[in-house]
Amino acid sequence: MKMPEEKIDTAMFAPCGMNCMVCYRHCSHPKPCAGCLNSDMGKPGHCRKCGIKDCVGQKGLPYCFACSDFPCKFIKNLEKSYNKRYQASLIENSRFVQRHGLDMFMQTQKETYTCSKCGGIISVHDGACSECREKAT
């Protein structure tokens, strides 16, 4: 999947702070996931049953960072996993959005995760381009 030439749809920003556009299940899977805020089509089971998404929905909030408990234990646990496995911070993503807005965040993500070789999307999960499979350096 190629990175869109226009801006990344802000509906691809998950409540937890993940940019679904750079998720392996969206950019590199044969049956792409539409993102956390969209259809369940193509989503793995753990995403369909996401407690974080349920929590913000019950509280009537768009994102976790809008909650007075942010970052809660659910976000801290996910953060720990993303820090260790992918060297990514969902809390920092959320704080960036708080400070600079969602459009600016998506623009910086587009710059960071677009393959310079072919324009594909570099997955945060495996660091490889969705098109040419080159590993990001």
Side-chain angles (χ1 to χ4, degrees), residues 1-132:
M1 175 177 291
K2 294 278 189 181
M3 184 65 80
E5 290 195 24
E6 66 284 354
K7 66 181 189 173
I8 298 173
D9 183 359
T10 55
M12 294 303 283
F13 185 72
C16 66
M18 174 67 187
N19 172 7
C20 295
M21 180 64 74
V22 300
C23 173
Y24 177 82
R25 285 299 294 232
H26 174 74
C27 67
S28 297
H29 200 269
K31 293 182 181 178
C33 171
C36 291
L37 298 178
N38 297 309
S39 148
D40 278 347
M41 189 86 132
K43 280 188 181 126
H46 68 277
C47 290
R48 287 191 306 271
K49 300 177 203 164
C50 178
I52 292 171
K53 189 170 104 174
D54 291 344
C55 180
V56 294
Q58 289 168 1
K59 292 180 178 184
L61 300 171
Y63 307 110
C64 294
F65 68 75
C67 182
S68 60
D69 292 330
F70 179 79
C72 68
K73 67 178 179 174
F74 299 115
I75 291 296
K76 287 178 182 176
N77 286 339
L78 187 58
E79 173 78 358
K80 189 175 183 180
S81 172
Y82 266 71
N83 280 187
K84 182 178 180 181
R85 294 165 61 191
Y86 313 120
Q87 295 74 54
S89 173
L90 303 180
I91 291 174
E92 281 306 309
N93 289 354
S94 293
R95 290 192 173 135
F96 184 98
V97 172
Q98 283 179 305
R99 287 189 305 273
H100 305 286
L102 195 46
D103 286 329
M104 178 68 79
F105 173 76
M106 288 305 206
Q107 181 58 38
T108 62
Q109 291 280 290
K110 183 176 176 178
E111 292 164 8
T112 301
Y113 291 102
T114 300
C115 177
S116 59
K117 182 176 176 184
C118 73
I121 300 171
I122 299 167
S123 168
V124 70
H125 295 118
D126 66 4
C129 174
S130 60
E131 296 295 304
C132 67

